[in-house]
Amino acid sequence: MEKAEQTFIRFLEDDKQLDYPDFDAMWSRIEQNMPAADAKPLPVDMTAPKRTRLRKVAIAASLAAVLVASPVIAAISINWDHILSYRSGVQSALEQGLGQTIEKSVTIDGVTMTVHTAIVDENRTVLLYSLSAAGEPKDSLYFSTMELKDASGGKIEGQHSQFWDKDNKTFNGYFETEWTPNGLEADVQLTASRLQSFSSAERDITLDPTSDKLQTFDIQQDGIGQMTVRPFVQGEKMLLDTAVSFNQEEAKKWAFPHIGVFKGDTLLKEASPGAFGKPGENGEYTGKQYYGLSDLSDGSAKYKLLYTREERRIDKDWTFELHLDKKSMLSGTVKQSLNVPVPFPDGAMTLKEMIVTPTQIRLKASHEKYLRIPYLDFALDVDGTILKGGRWGGFDNPEETTFRFELPHGVKVTEQTPVSFVAKYEVLEHKDAKEPIKLTNISVEKQTLTTKVGGYDVLWTYYKQDGKLYVQSECADPSFGGVNQTYMGSGDSRLIGKQVTTNFSGDGNNRAIDEYADFTGTEADINIFWYYTESPDKELRVPFHGQDK
């Protein structure tokens, strides 16, 4: 399995009581599908402070000058700051008065959805909307599905998300799709279905973090059946490996169950980002959470299962007939064919096309099928201005990759503008570790040995627990990126270890644990599929446009 580059993420308002998850991110964000075009392929720390009040005043002041002549006054007057925090190109288009005014509303059962504006260019289509309910909503609202259809009824893939604007008492959201009209205009239908409201819920659990045995909790609440937790010590951290089963399968779509660790009434911050949502052996919802070992070992911590539950729903459709027009976005739109090779240690890709619009720069690249791109961070150097971006893999075509870079206000690309593609933080995959790791005297007592893996000293810790063999690998050298996965035997009899930990390139953690079920022996030969090395400062720079080409 490829080393994971992305976790499922919850976006939370700092001052909201409700743990409101981003449901689309929860289920669809994986390595090639970044949360935004300029987001790094790493977990996002949403505990970082909000933008300062001074910055908000500055933004408001700059927008005030635009309001006089802007054709999208309503869209600008709404605070899109949070929802567009990773879509600065869309925010820039609004500030410039670009886009198309829609201002259509549909009200059902006291809930009004208004589509305010459309940003339609050669790279994407973004619809900005707001959602308000009669009176002040006391819980969160979210559409189960939102889809776009073209004039012939064909479904257009997209994603939607929204956040609570406490000042205006509305939910502000967007629907975004890579689809864009073939011509300058198009008729489409937007349908938002099954409006649900949610609230946060909790359940006390008597977790013992000092025990490395599997602990089971019978929840039987709000569609949740059981939860199992197994603690693993990971250096100065502790991993809580959880699996939750459901007696109401539908609840799995929104529950987002996870453990909360409290000291008194204070919820402790996790020591490093976790991962959620990977299906377990029997379809369970699994989670990996890391806490400081010292926070859990003094006996003062209390534990709760935290989750989201459905309060009510409206099984109806909010439907809009829209006429999209991208003429206002034509100025500043450039398409350029390229044929620029980008060399990698194992293989190469070719930059084939650049599409510049007022909101975004996209680079389309071709390469051999399923090529592993050995870098984590991507950027464009536009005449000295660095635009951080991300890559979107080819779900339809494994021989193509698209790189996206948000275009902030004030950055222009002309025929003479020097532009370079920049890739940084090299992560290489190695398959030269052929010697098996010989484990002896396997018992419930933890055993250790050190072997050489690609010239690195790797410490192995192994033991049996509940009829399973656990094998952990780690290295003191941070340039060793970790072992991908291990296995026993060969050919048809090969037994592949189940990965307990979820490791992320660039997270500074090269510890990995594999689990072998129904193990009864006292000796074993463990083989390595491959391992990684990491060079955070390694940079690849390829000029492809303008004077630097």
Side-chain angles (χ1 to χ4, degrees):
M1 293 178 64
E2 178 61 53
K3 194 173 187 180
E5 308 293 352
Q6 185 70 11
T7 61
F8 301 104
I9 305 167
R10 285 178 297 138
F11 291 96
L12 305 178
E13 283 279 10
D14 293 349
D15 52 3
K16 281 182 63 179
Q17 296 301 311
L18 173 65
D19 293 337
Y20 180 63
D22 181 336
F23 293 90
D24 295 297
M26 194 183 302
W27 299 107
S28 66
R29 289 179 187 168
I30 56 178
E31 180 182 3
Q32 296 92 345
N33 190 1
M34 297 297 178
D38 58 356
K40 293 175 64 177
L42 294 171
V44 179
D45 182 5
M46 292 310 295
T47 61
K50 292 182 178 180
R51 300 183 181 182
T52 65
R53 185 175 302 275
L54 180 60
R55 174 164 174 74
K56 290 184 177 180
V57 171
I59 292 175
S62 65
L63 296 186
V66 181
L67 286 174
V68 176
S70 173
V72 285
I73 293 177
I76 292 180
S77 63
I78 294 175
N79 180 11
W80 303 105
D81 229 21
H82 200 163
I83 195 71
L84 297 179
S85 58
Y86 289 98
R87 288 162 178 77
S88 60
V90 177
Q91 188 77 292
S92 172
L94 292 178
E95 294 177 19
Q96 297 175 68
L98 300 175
Q100 175 190 353
T101 301
I102 303 293
E103 292 304 322
K104 285 189 175 183
S105 297
V106 173
T107 300
I108 298 177
D109 292 351
V111 180
T112 300
M113 178 181 178
T114 302
V115 179
H116 294 284
T117 193
I119 305 293
V120 188
D121 60 22
E122 291 296 330
N123 280 329
R124 60 182 169 183
T125 296
V126 178
L127 302 174
L128 300 177
Y129 68 88
S130 65
L131 188 67
S132 61
E136 182 178 340
K138 298 298 184 182
D139 45 30
S140 103
L141 298 175
Y142 197 80
F143 285 110
S144 176
T145 61
M146 191 177 294
E147 67 177 23
L148 203 63
K149 291 184 178 180
D150 59 24
S152 60
K155 184 177 179 181
I156 298 170
E157 296 293 336
Q159 63 176 353
H160 70 286
S161 188
Q162 63 193 42
F163 294 95
W164 174 245
D165 180 350
K166 62 181 182 298
D167 294 327
N168 294 311
K169 302 295 187 294
T170 63
F171 291 92
N172 300 331
Y174 68 82
F175 175 89
E176 180 179 18
T177 174
E178 293 187 52
W179 175 88
T180 184
N182 290 327
L184 295 179
E185 301 176 67
D187 291 320
V188 297
Q189 182 185 79
L190 175 70
T191 301
S193 304
R194 181 180 284 184
L195 184 66
Q196 298 169 278
S197 67
F198 301 94
S199 65
S200 58
E202 61 184 41
R203 174 75 172 268
D204 292 332
I205 57 174
T206 55
L207 176 67
D208 180 6
T210 64
S211 171
D212 56 6
K213 293 185 177 181
L214 187 69
Q215 301 172 51
T216 301
F217 304 95
D218 196 35
I219 305 300
Q220 303 303 326
Q221 184 173 303
D222 297 319
I224 297 176
Q226 287 188 335
M227 178 178 69
T228 61
V229 184
R230 189 188 294 272
F232 291 93
V233 175
Q234 297 269 276
E236 298 301 317
K237 299 177 183 178
M238 179 172 286
L239 164 64
L240 300 181
D241 182 28
T242 63
V244 175
S245 63
F246 292 82
N247 50 35
Q248 295 178 19
E249 191 66 19
E250 192 178 26
K252 188 185 296 186
K253 299 177 181 179
W254 56 74
F256 188 58
H258 58 289
I259 291 178
V261 181
F262 292 81
K263 289 290 183 73
D265 295 329
T266 302
L267 178 65
L268 292 185
K269 182 181 177 181
E270 296 177 32
S272 58
F276 302 91
K278 181 180 179 180
E281 292 180 350
N282 299 306
E284 304 96 335
Y285 181 94
T286 66
K288 317 286 184 182
Q289 294 176 257
Y290 293 88
Y291 288 92
L293 184 61
S294 60
D295 290 332
L296 276 58
S297 59
D298 63 4
S300 63
K302 302 297 181 183
Y303 303 88
K304 295 183 179 183
L305 170 65
L306 305 178
Y307 63 95
T308 301
R309 66 183 172 202
E310 184 187 44
E311 294 290 346
R312 59 189 176 92
R313 69 173 65 175
I314 302 175
D315 269 321
K316 296 181 180 179
D317 297 337
W318 282 252
T319 301
F320 299 83
E321 303 295 336
L322 306 176
H323 181 78
L324 300 183
D325 187 338
K326 60 182 179 183
K327 290 193 289 290
S328 67
M329 305 293 286
L330 290 180
S331 61
T333 296
V334 176
K335 285 186 177 182
Q336 180 179 348
S337 295
L338 306 170
N339 187 26
V340 180
V342 180
F344 296 136
D346 295 312
M349 72 177 186
T350 300
L351 300 180
K352 302 296 293 184
E353 184 182 31
M354 177 178 69
I355 303 175
V356 182
T357 71
T359 73
Q360 194 180 68
I361 300 177
R362 288 197 188 189
L363 287 179
K364 294 185 178 181
S366 62
H367 46 71
E368 66 181 46
K369 201 171 186 178
Y370 301 115
L371 175 70
R372 180 183 179 276
I373 299 176
Y375 288 91
L376 297 185
D377 301 336
F378 303 96
L380 287 184
D381 185 338
V382 181
D383 196 19
T385 299
I386 304 300
L387 307 182
K388 293 183 179 181
R391 66 188 181 94
W392 293 59
F395 297 106
D396 297 325
N397 186 351
E399 297 178 343
E400 290 184 355
T401 296
T402 299
F403 298 89
R404 303 181 178 190
F405 307 89
E406 292 293 304
L407 193 62
H409 190 38
V411 178
K412 304 294 183 183
V413 178
T414 67
E415 291 184 1
Q416 292 75 37
T417 305
V419 183
S420 296
F421 176 77
V422 182
K424 193 172 181 179
Y425 203 127
E426 184 182 68
V427 178
L428 297 179
E429 182 182 281
H430 305 271
K431 299 183 179 180
D432 57 1
K434 302 298 184 181
E435 292 296 318
I437 313 301
K438 296 184 177 297
L439 309 183
T440 60
N441 301 318
I442 299 173
S443 69
V444 295
E445 300 295 327
K446 291 184 178 180
Q447 310 283 339
T448 61
L449 78 156
T450 300
T451 68
K452 289 286 187 181
V453 176
Y456 293 89
D457 290 328
V458 175
L459 175 66
W460 300 85
T461 302
Y462 56 95
Y463 60 96
K464 286 194 290 188
Q465 183 69 257
D466 299 329
K468 300 177 180 179
L469 171 64
Y470 291 93
V471 181
Q472 175 175 289
S473 59
E474 58 184 302
C475 179
D477 190 334
S479 63
F480 183 78
V483 172
N484 162 262
Q485 200 170 12
T486 62
Y487 65 94
M488 298 182 190
S490 60
D492 293 338
S493 62
R494 186 171 65 181
L495 180 62
I496 299 176
K498 174 189 173 184
Q499 294 173 306
V500 174
T501 52
T502 300
N503 301 85
F504 308 103
S505 293
D507 66 359
N509 176 25
N510 58 31
R511 294 184 181 89
I513 300 176
D514 282 358
E515 173 189 281
Y516 293 88
D518 302 321
F519 184 85
T520 59
T522 58
E523 296 185 355
D525 285 347
I526 301 295
N527 300 283
I528 298 171
F529 279 107
W530 59 79
Y531 65 94
Y532 300 94
T533 56
E534 299 187 0
S535 302
D537 296 328
K538 188 69 173 292
E539 180 179 286
L540 174 67
R541 181 176 289 264
V542 180
F544 67 89
H545 180 79
Q547 299 174 3
D548 288 347
K549 185 175 178 181

